[in-house]
Amino acid sequence: MIPPVTVTRYVAPLREGGSLPGIVEADDLGTYVCKFRGAGQGPRVLVAEVVVSGLAEAIGVRTPRLVALELAEEIARYEADEEVQDLLRASLGTNLGVDFLPGSFGFDGTGGLPDGLAAKVLWLDAFCANVDRSWRNPNLLVWHGELWVIDHGASLYFHHGWSGGVGEPSRFAVQPWRSDDHVLLGAVSKNALEAADSEVSRLLGPELFAEVLERVPDTWLEPVPGAETPEALRAAYVEFLTARLSNRSWLPEVA
């Protein structure tokens, strides 16, 4: 599991988007961007963050370190902003912490990237069906001269349709993915994407998927019909990811 730490201070909200993440400090002396389980789309967004982060690490794409942030009622009690206080009270327990990268800045697409890195990011987004890496919202940072991918919650959207049950992995396996507004599309050649596909395909598989799912805290794996336990839900995610890996119809067309 991602390491647990305890929130010691709520610092400030990040008023971007609708989920209202916040900067917090923790008892390991770290500073984190906290993504709250009580925000709009619930804990499945946090599951996607952990899974895609793990896959990024496995294929050699940098993404910030994650922790499980334990939030106590005392932190919410002394927050003056009522909107933030309501969110904190709705998020008591385990939340997601993303390592804060001080001095980082947003990637604007104008700088050069190492050979193959843009192709790996494009491949990862296509595989995970990430709909949130456009020119309007790249979700890419530059820190110490390196590219870091962040904010993976808009990936793996198939799990938002699990209210009636897990469904069929085969549907996600062939789900098309639109790449026309992807921030890195113009930086990826056909040869680079084919090389990335060949390399990444050897690194991923059911065993790796299962290892990544083990990082997800049980409390975020809410039961659905036919998968009432955390173990059953982890197995369902592995099935969906394995099915998509066995298919290539979702790979984008590049020049």
Side-chain angles (χ1 to χ4, degrees):
M1 190 186 299
I2 55 176
V5 299
T6 300
V7 175
T8 56
R9 187 167 79 97
Y10 179 86
V11 179
L14 293 175
R15 297 188 179 277
E16 301 173 1
S19 61
L20 200 66
I23 302 294
V24 303
E25 295 173 349
D27 62 354
D28 65 347
L29 304 183
T31 302
Y32 300 96
V33 176
C34 182
K35 300 199 172 186
F36 296 101
R37 61 181 299 162
Q41 291 182 305
R44 285 178 184 162
V45 170
L46 309 186
V47 175
E49 291 274 7
V50 174
V51 172
V52 179
S53 176
L55 299 181
E57 290 177 5
I59 67 173
V61 174
R62 291 178 176 83
T63 191
R65 184 176 67 94
L66 303 181
V67 297
L69 286 172
E70 296 299 323
L71 179 64
E73 188 174 1
E74 289 75 13
I75 302 296
R77 184 182 304 155
Y78 298 107
E79 174 54 45
D81 186 310
E82 290 187 8
E83 181 184 12
V84 173
Q85 186 178 99
D86 289 343
L87 178 59
L88 294 175
R89 291 188 182 280
S91 304
L92 301 181
T94 306
N95 298 273
L96 178 68
V98 182
D99 197 16
F100 182 69
L101 306 181
S104 62
F105 57 91
F107 178 77
D108 61 5
T110 61
L113 295 178
D115 291 345
L117 177 57
K120 283 185 178 181
V121 175
L122 184 66
W123 190 100
L124 179 67
D125 288 339
F127 177 68
C128 298
N130 184 5
V131 297
D132 197 16
R133 205 176 312 280
S134 68
W135 283 101
R136 297 178 301 278
N137 191 33
N139 285 327
L140 296 170
L141 296 177
V142 177
W143 194 51
H144 293 292
E146 304 287 356
L147 188 77
W148 296 70
V149 296
I150 61 169
D151 292 347
H152 317 300
S155 306
L156 309 182
Y157 55 80
F158 60 80
H159 57 189
H160 294 294
W162 282 1
S163 58
V166 166
E168 290 296 327
S170 58
R171 294 186 61 185
F172 181 58
V174 298
Q175 183 72 41
W177 179 78
R178 289 187 57 185
S179 62
D180 52 324
D181 65 344
H182 194 279
V183 66
L184 297 179
L185 182 64
V188 178
S189 67
K190 181 177 181 180
N191 287 341
L193 186 59
E194 289 176 350
D197 181 45
S198 177
E199 176 185 348
V200 168
S201 298
R202 295 193 298 268
L203 297 173
L204 303 183
E207 183 175 342
L208 187 279
F209 297 149
E211 291 176 3
V212 169
L213 263 301
E214 285 298 326
R215 303 181 184 183
V216 179
D218 286 357
T219 55
W220 297 347
L221 295 167
E222 297 179 329
V224 300
E228 286 81 11
T229 67
E231 291 76 15
L233 279 162
R234 289 189 177 94
Y237 279 100
V238 171
E239 288 183 23
F240 272 71
L241 294 171
T242 301
R244 192 157 176 88
L245 186 63
S246 68
N247 190 285
R248 286 299 184 276
S249 61
W250 43 266
L251 273 175
E253 295 287 337
V254 296

